[in-house]
């Protein structure tokens, strides 16, 4: 007995997208660990970056399955909607981490 596929996308787009978001969440989690490692040298203000990166990783990881299901339903209906808010929030998070990083580093000079 073979399992039924929920969609007929031969390129497995939902799986690739879901894996990309998983890698992003793991990257943010690892980045926060690196920030913790640097905190004795750069000070406790770096812990704000740890919190931002970990929060983003948790949000991405927590919503990944729901977004995967939305992609599969979109493929079945042949009407896939882009994940604009997810991309915008990730862009804002990355920008925020960069700005906080500059403030921490330039404040250390």
């Amino acid at each position: 007995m073979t399992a039924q596929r929920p969609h007929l996308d031969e390129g497995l787009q939902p799986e690739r997208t879901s894996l990309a978001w998983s890698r992003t969440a793991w990257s943010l989690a690892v980045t926060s660990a690196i920030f913790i490692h640097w905190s004795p040298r750069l000070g406790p203000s770096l812990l704000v970056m740890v919190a931002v990166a970990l929060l983003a990783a948790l949000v991405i990881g927590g919503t990944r399955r729901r977004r995967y299901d939305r992609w599969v339903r979109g493929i079945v209906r042949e009407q896939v909607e882009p994940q604009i808010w997810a991309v915008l929030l990730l862009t804002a998070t990355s920008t925020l981490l960069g700005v906080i990083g500059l403030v921490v580093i330039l404040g250390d000079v």
Side-chain angles (χ1 to χ4, degrees), residues 23-108:
R23 287 189 301 271
T24 301
W26 279 108
S27 297
L28 285 165
V30 168
T31 300
S32 68
I34 292 169
F35 293 154
I36 290 172
H37 178 73
W38 288 344
S39 64
R41 182 183 181 295
L42 295 175
S45 59
L46 197 64
L47 295 178
V48 173
M49 293 178 71
V50 171
V52 169
L54 274 179
L55 179 63
L58 290 172
V59 168
I60 290 169
T63 60
R64 187 178 60 85
R65 181 63 188 190
R66 186 178 67 217
R67 284 184 277 119
Y68 171 83
D69 291 340
R70 187 180 319 141
W71 269 88
V72 169
R73 285 191 309 271
I75 287 173
V76 169
R77 289 189 322 253
E78 295 182 5
Q79 192 176 24
V80 179
E81 297 177 17
Q83 300 176 3
I84 295 171
W85 287 109
V87 173
L88 287 175
L89 287 174
L90 181 59
T91 302
T93 301
S94 300
T95 302
L96 179 63
L97 287 172
V99 168
I100 295 171
L102 284 173
V103 169
V104 168
I105 290 172
L106 293 177
D108 190 45

